[in-house]
Amino acid sequence: MGDVGLGMFRIAVCDDEATSLMLLTALVKKICEEEQIAYELVAFSDMKDMISALSNTIPPYNLLITDIMTDSVTGIDAAKQLRKYSERLDIVFVSSTAAYALEGYTVQALRYLQKPVQLEDLRDAVLQSFRKQNRIEELLVSVDGVPTKFPYKDLLYIESDTRNAIIVTKDRSVPLKKKISDIEKILPEQHFFRCHRTHIVNLDEVERIERYEATLKNGMKIPISQPQYNEMKKRFYKY
């Protein structure tokens, strides 16, 4: 999913509980290595040290994953201080309680994860930040031997036509000599969902969901398979 050619992805992890810090650090490393993301990672056990290190740092950090409650400074207060230096820093809060989730929005937190942090939830957050920071906002595929870019915002859905796939945008349909399963692997999971064995839909284009069918904003109907129906609803509501 990642691309080492996009530049170093700088990550800071902060937690004053030694076990939690070790676990978070290990999970982040695992995700970056599995997704082939070139990264630098620094771990902090003290929030004040973290604030000092991240303030005015050049190049700046891309992502901060931090506990929201520590003995010295709260994650919210730390984020407010860091926001003075960087609006681009993505912040993911982790906590054993959801009590402070709403406060996270006051500092434009990217995500709020509850402990114990699940690997796939953390993976989604890391990849969301990575793609956002590196502006991966388009699908690059070969069309008749020519590398062609399709901005995500223009994609409606991808449809399988026996052995090949068809990319359907807002103004054209483009056949590819590529399996739909191969395209599924390179699309961001938070924006696209394979709702049927023959269809991957752009969740941003879905207007509403009815039983076994999604209606797009332009009125087009997309099938939802019975096994994927409940998951499609969850993904759509979450999105």
Side-chain angles (χ1 to χ4, degrees), residues 82-101:
L82 292 173
R83 278 283 175 253
K84 297 176 183 178
Y85 303 101
S86 175
E87 288 294 327
R88 291 193 61 190
L89 175 68
D90 286 328
I91 300 171
V92 173
F93 288 122
V94 295
S95 177
S96 56
T97 173
Y100 298 91

Side-chain angles (χ1 to χ4, degrees), residues 57-143:
T57 302
I58 300 176
Y61 280 83
N62 304 107
L63 173 63
L64 168 63
I65 303 170
T66 180
D67 190 4
I68 205 164
M69 291 298 296
T70 68
D71 292 335
S72 57
V73 182
T74 70
I76 298 294
D77 289 336
K80 287 178 180 178
Q81 294 186 52
L82 292 173
R83 278 283 175 253
K84 297 176 183 178
Y85 303 101
S86 175
E87 288 294 327
R88 291 193 61 190
L89 175 68
D90 286 328
I91 300 171
V92 173
F93 288 122
V94 295
S95 177
S96 56
T97 173
Y100 298 91
L102 290 178
E103 284 192 69
Y105 290 105
T106 65
V107 289
Q108 297 84 49
L110 183 72
R111 298 286 287 274
Y112 190 103
L113 305 177
Q114 280 194 258
K115 293 182 178 180
V117 176
Q118 301 300 306
L119 175 63
E120 293 310 312
D121 290 338
L122 184 60
R123 186 191 305 274
D124 286 346
V126 171
L127 290 178
Q128 182 180 355
S129 175
F130 178 73
R131 294 188 180 104
K132 174 186 171 188
Q133 297 279 347
N134 288 284
R135 301 185 184 278
I136 302 176
E137 298 172 351
E138 57 197 13
L139 174 66
L140 176 63
V141 291
S142 176
V143 178

